[in-house]
Amino acid sequence: MDSSLFTHKSSLKVTLLGTGTSGGVPSLGCQCEVCRSQDPRDHRLRCVALVESATTRILIDCGPDIRQQLMPLPFKPFDAILMTHIHYDHVGGIDDLRPFSVFGPIRLYGDEKTCKHVRNIMPYCFGEHLYPGVPRLELHKIEPHVPLHVGDINIMPIQVMHGKMPILGFRIGSFAYITDMKTIGDEELPYLEGVETLVVNALRFEKEHHSHQLVADAALFARRIGAKHTYITHVCHHIGLYDEAQRRMPEGLNLAYDGEVLQCP
């Protein structure tokens, strides 16, 4: 496989703006020790990552907490919004991006199914006669294994399975971001060769889930691709208190937290 597909021109800064599962943490109505914790690392917004090079700015997913997540950041344009899949906790904040229309169209990239569903759930953003103030959205269909070039960043979409639903993960240089994965086909593994920094989902330690990995699954996957540094995201309150959960993590795995910044060469 052509190694140039996995290179980029400058180092990457990755900010994990959200590391929580679909309901976030604290969970509504729950009084467990995690949901009552005062440790900010136990407070988890829905999963979003910001990837930045020297000249390019990309969001991965845009969940319903995006306004809160972006408010502390500089108000600058995004070159792309990558969408892993259509579930609400990953796309429910697209309308909140409307202020960024002052910089031009908001470019959303997803597979055919995701792009189709965005049109269906936000019909007021598409068509000939748009009302004033509507988000200016551009949908771009992407496919697994077809490289995408945004600014100085090269992106390789890959396919993983969210239960029985195929969704996208993204390889960017030596960094890979995968969320909501249950399984992955052997044919995808060559596209992850050489990944050094991996962000991947694991819902909790125990109790099997039909469409999400557990921590042991994530550890096995990280070892399988040879990642040097692995960060666990898309976590629910059942993971336990941050310090205790981190001590339980298998060797080489770290429990990610909201606001964590990763430097990827």
Side-chain angles (χ1 to χ4, degrees), residues 4 27 31 42 67 85 87 101 111 122 125 143 167 184 191 197 245 256:
S4 66
S27 180
Q31 293 298 314
D42 289 323
R67 181 180 180 277
H85 62 297
H87 286 169
S101 294
D111 61 21
M122 303 182 70
C125 294
E143 299 177 5
I167 66 173
I184 183 170
Y191 294 95
T197 304

mmCIF file of all heavy atoms in Angstrom, residues 4 27 31 42 67 85 87 101 111 122 125 143 167 184 191 197 245 256:
data_model
loop_
_atom_site.group_PDB
_atom_site.id
_atom_site.type_symbol
_atom_site.label_atom_id
_atom_site.label_comp_id
_atom_site.label_asym_id
_atom_site.label_seq_id
_atom_site.Cartn_x
_atom_site.Cartn_y
_atom_site.Cartn_z
ATOM 1 N N SER A 4 2.448 7.067 1.107
ATOM 2 C CA SER A 4 2.194 8.510 0.977
ATOM 3 C C SER A 4 0.742 8.869 1.284
ATOM 4 O O SER A 4 0.425 10.015 1.578
ATOM 5 C CB SER A 4 2.549 8.990 -0.439
ATOM 6 O OG SER A 4 1.672 8.421 -1.403
ATOM 7 N N SER A 27 -25.163 11.325 33.838
ATOM 8 C CA SER A 27 -26.349 10.816 33.180
ATOM 9 C C SER A 27 -27.582 11.373 33.890
ATOM 10 O O SER A 27 -27.657 11.372 35.129
ATOM 11 C CB SER A 27 -26.347 9.287 33.238
ATOM 12 O OG SER A 27 -27.489 8.754 32.612
ATOM 13 N N GLN A 31 -27.610 9.068 40.333
ATOM 14 C CA GLN A 31 -26.923 9.540 41.537
ATOM 15 C C GLN A 31 -25.733 8.645 41.889
ATOM 16 O O GLN A 31 -25.316 8.598 43.042
ATOM 17 C CB GLN A 31 -27.914 9.575 42.708
ATOM 18 C CG GLN A 31 -29.012 10.614 42.547
ATOM 19 C CD GLN A 31 -28.450 12.023 42.485
ATOM 20 O OE1 GLN A 31 -27.596 12.408 43.280
ATOM 21 N NE2 GLN A 31 -28.941 12.807 41.531
ATOM 22 N N ASP A 42 -14.506 13.474 35.161
ATOM 23 C CA ASP A 42 -15.680 12.598 35.180
ATOM 24 C C ASP A 42 -16.879 13.223 34.481
ATOM 25 O O ASP A 42 -17.949 12.604 34.423
ATOM 26 C CB ASP A 42 -16.052 12.242 36.625
ATOM 27 C CG ASP A 42 -15.045 11.304 37.266
ATOM 28 O OD1 ASP A 42 -14.533 10.414 36.563
ATOM 29 O OD2 ASP A 42 -14.766 11.468 38.474
ATOM 30 N N ARG A 67 -22.141 23.634 20.759
ATOM 31 C CA ARG A 67 -22.086 25.063 21.113
ATOM 32 C C ARG A 67 -21.255 25.261 22.363
ATOM 33 O O ARG A 67 -20.370 26.133 22.417
ATOM 34 C CB ARG A 67 -23.498 25.616 21.306
ATOM 35 C CG ARG A 67 -23.528 27.108 21.660
ATOM 36 C CD ARG A 67 -24.972 27.581 21.839
ATOM 37 N NE ARG A 67 -24.999 28.992 22.185
ATOM 38 C CZ ARG A 67 -24.842 29.464 23.415
ATOM 39 N NH1 ARG A 67 -24.635 28.614 24.431
ATOM 40 N NH2 ARG A 67 -24.883 30.767 23.649
ATOM 41 N N HIS A 85 -21.037 8.998 11.455
ATOM 42 C CA HIS A 85 -22.315 8.367 11.142
ATOM 43 C C HIS A 85 -23.441 9.291 11.567
ATOM 44 O O HIS A 85 -23.203 10.371 12.119
ATOM 45 C CB HIS A 85 -22.433 6.981 11.773
ATOM 46 C CG HIS A 85 -22.389 6.955 13.278
ATOM 47 N ND1 HIS A 85 -21.298 7.358 14.013
ATOM 48 C CD2 HIS A 85 -23.318 6.541 14.201
ATOM 49 C CE1 HIS A 85 -21.534 7.205 15.305
ATOM 50 N NE2 HIS A 85 -22.762 6.710 15.443
ATOM 51 N N HIS A 87 -26.034 9.027 13.772
ATOM 52 C CA HIS A 87 -26.685 9.040 15.079
ATOM 53 C C HIS A 87 -26.630 10.425 15.710
ATOM 54 O O HIS A 87 -25.642 11.155 15.570
ATOM 55 C CB HIS A 87 -26.064 7.990 15.995
ATOM 56 C CG HIS A 87 -26.469 6.594 15.641
ATOM 57 N ND1 HIS A 87 -25.865 5.481 16.172
ATOM 58 C CD2 HIS A 87 -27.455 6.132 14.800
ATOM 59 C CE1 HIS A 87 -26.434 4.389 15.668
ATOM 60 N NE2 HIS A 87 -27.399 4.767 14.849
ATOM 61 N N SER A 101 -21.121 30.357 9.185
ATOM 62 C CA SER A 101 -21.452 30.669 7.798
ATOM 63 C C SER A 101 -20.893 32.016 7.364
ATOM 64 O O SER A 101 -20.804 32.290 6.161
ATOM 65 C CB SER A 101 -22.968 30.641 7.593
ATOM 66 O OG SER A 101 -23.482 29.331 7.768
ATOM 67 N N ASP A 111 -20.385 9.466 4.573
ATOM 68 C CA ASP A 111 -20.734 8.478 3.557
ATOM 69 C C ASP A 111 -22.114 8.793 2.983
ATOM 70 O O ASP A 111 -22.815 9.708 3.434
ATOM 71 C CB ASP A 111 -20.643 7.053 4.114
ATOM 72 C CG ASP A 111 -21.590 6.787 5.274
ATOM 73 O OD1 ASP A 111 -22.591 7.518 5.437
ATOM 74 O OD2 ASP A 111 -21.344 5.827 6.028
ATOM 75 N N MET A 122 -32.637 17.852 8.114
ATOM 76 C CA MET A 122 -32.481 19.307 8.056
ATOM 77 C C MET A 122 -32.904 19.824 6.683
ATOM 78 O O MET A 122 -32.137 20.510 5.993
ATOM 79 C CB MET A 122 -31.019 19.690 8.344
ATOM 80 C CG MET A 122 -30.505 19.185 9.679
ATOM 81 S SD MET A 122 -28.794 19.688 10.014
ATOM 82 C CE MET A 122 -29.018 21.455 10.286
ATOM 83 N N CYS A 125 -32.288 23.428 5.271
ATOM 84 C CA CYS A 125 -30.946 23.892 4.898
ATOM 85 C C CYS A 125 -30.621 23.634 3.433
ATOM 86 O O CYS A 125 -29.520 23.989 2.970
ATOM 87 C CB CYS A 125 -29.890 23.208 5.760
ATOM 88 S SG CYS A 125 -29.958 23.659 7.490
ATOM 89 N N GLU A 143 -16.006 7.951 0.672
ATOM 90 C CA GLU A 143 -16.092 6.502 0.726
ATOM 91 C C GLU A 143 -14.882 5.932 1.441
ATOM 92 O O GLU A 143 -13.792 6.532 1.406
ATOM 93 C CB GLU A 143 -16.171 5.919 -0.683
ATOM 94 C CG GLU A 143 -17.371 6.361 -1.488
ATOM 95 C CD GLU A 143 -17.351 5.798 -2.895
ATOM 96 O OE1 GLU A 143 -16.437 4.994 -3.187
ATOM 97 O OE2 GLU A 143 -18.226 6.151 -3.688
ATOM 98 N N ILE A 167 -20.020 2.248 9.584
ATOM 99 C CA ILE A 167 -19.764 3.671 9.817
ATOM 100 C C ILE A 167 -18.307 3.960 9.465
ATOM 101 O O ILE A 167 -17.544 3.056 9.126
ATOM 102 C CB ILE A 167 -20.079 4.089 11.272
ATOM 103 C CG1 ILE A 167 -19.109 3.415 12.251
ATOM 104 C CG2 ILE A 167 -21.531 3.746 11.626
ATOM 105 C CD1 ILE A 167 -19.245 3.915 13.685
ATOM 106 N N ILE A 184 -14.300 -4.770 13.385
ATOM 107 C CA ILE A 184 -13.641 -4.241 12.202
ATOM 108 C C ILE A 184 -13.186 -5.412 11.352
ATOM 109 O O ILE A 184 -12.724 -6.434 11.876
ATOM 110 C CB ILE A 184 -12.446 -3.331 12.583
ATOM 111 C CG1 ILE A 184 -11.809 -2.712 11.326
ATOM 112 C CG2 ILE A 184 -11.422 -4.068 13.421
ATOM 113 C CD1 ILE A 184 -10.790 -1.625 11.635
ATOM 114 N N TYR A 191 -4.939 -0.354 6.379
ATOM 115 C CA TYR A 191 -5.081 1.104 6.374
ATOM 116 C C TYR A 191 -4.720 1.718 7.726
ATOM 117 O O TYR A 191 -4.674 2.947 7.861
ATOM 118 C CB TYR A 191 -6.506 1.487 5.987
ATOM 119 C CG TYR A 191 -6.853 1.108 4.569
ATOM 120 C CD1 TYR A 191 -7.506 -0.092 4.295
ATOM 121 C CD2 TYR A 191 -6.509 1.930 3.508
ATOM 122 C CE1 TYR A 191 -7.808 -0.461 2.993
ATOM 123 C CE2 TYR A 191 -6.813 1.580 2.197
ATOM 124 C CZ TYR A 191 -7.460 0.384 1.958
ATOM 125 O OH TYR A 191 -7.741 0.023 0.657
ATOM 126 N N THR A 197 -0.779 6.987 17.348
ATOM 127 C CA THR A 197 -1.728 7.524 18.325
ATOM 128 C C THR A 197 -3.135 7.135 17.901
ATOM 129 O O THR A 197 -3.588 7.496 16.814
ATOM 130 C CB THR A 197 -1.617 9.053 18.425
ATOM 131 O OG1 THR A 197 -0.276 9.414 18.739
ATOM 132 C CG2 THR A 197 -2.553 9.586 19.497
ATOM 133 N N ALA A 245 -10.580 4.155 37.343
ATOM 134 C CA ALA A 245 -10.665 3.536 36.026
ATOM 135 C C ALA A 245 -9.310 3.555 35.317
ATOM 136 O O ALA A 245 -8.940 2.581 34.656
ATOM 137 C CB ALA A 245 -11.712 4.247 35.179
ATOM 138 N N ALA A 256 -9.289 8.731 28.189
ATOM 139 C CA ALA A 256 -9.315 10.117 27.730
ATOM 140 C C ALA A 256 -10.317 10.924 28.565
ATOM 141 O O ALA A 256 -11.197 10.380 29.215
ATOM 142 C CB ALA A 256 -9.672 10.184 26.258
#
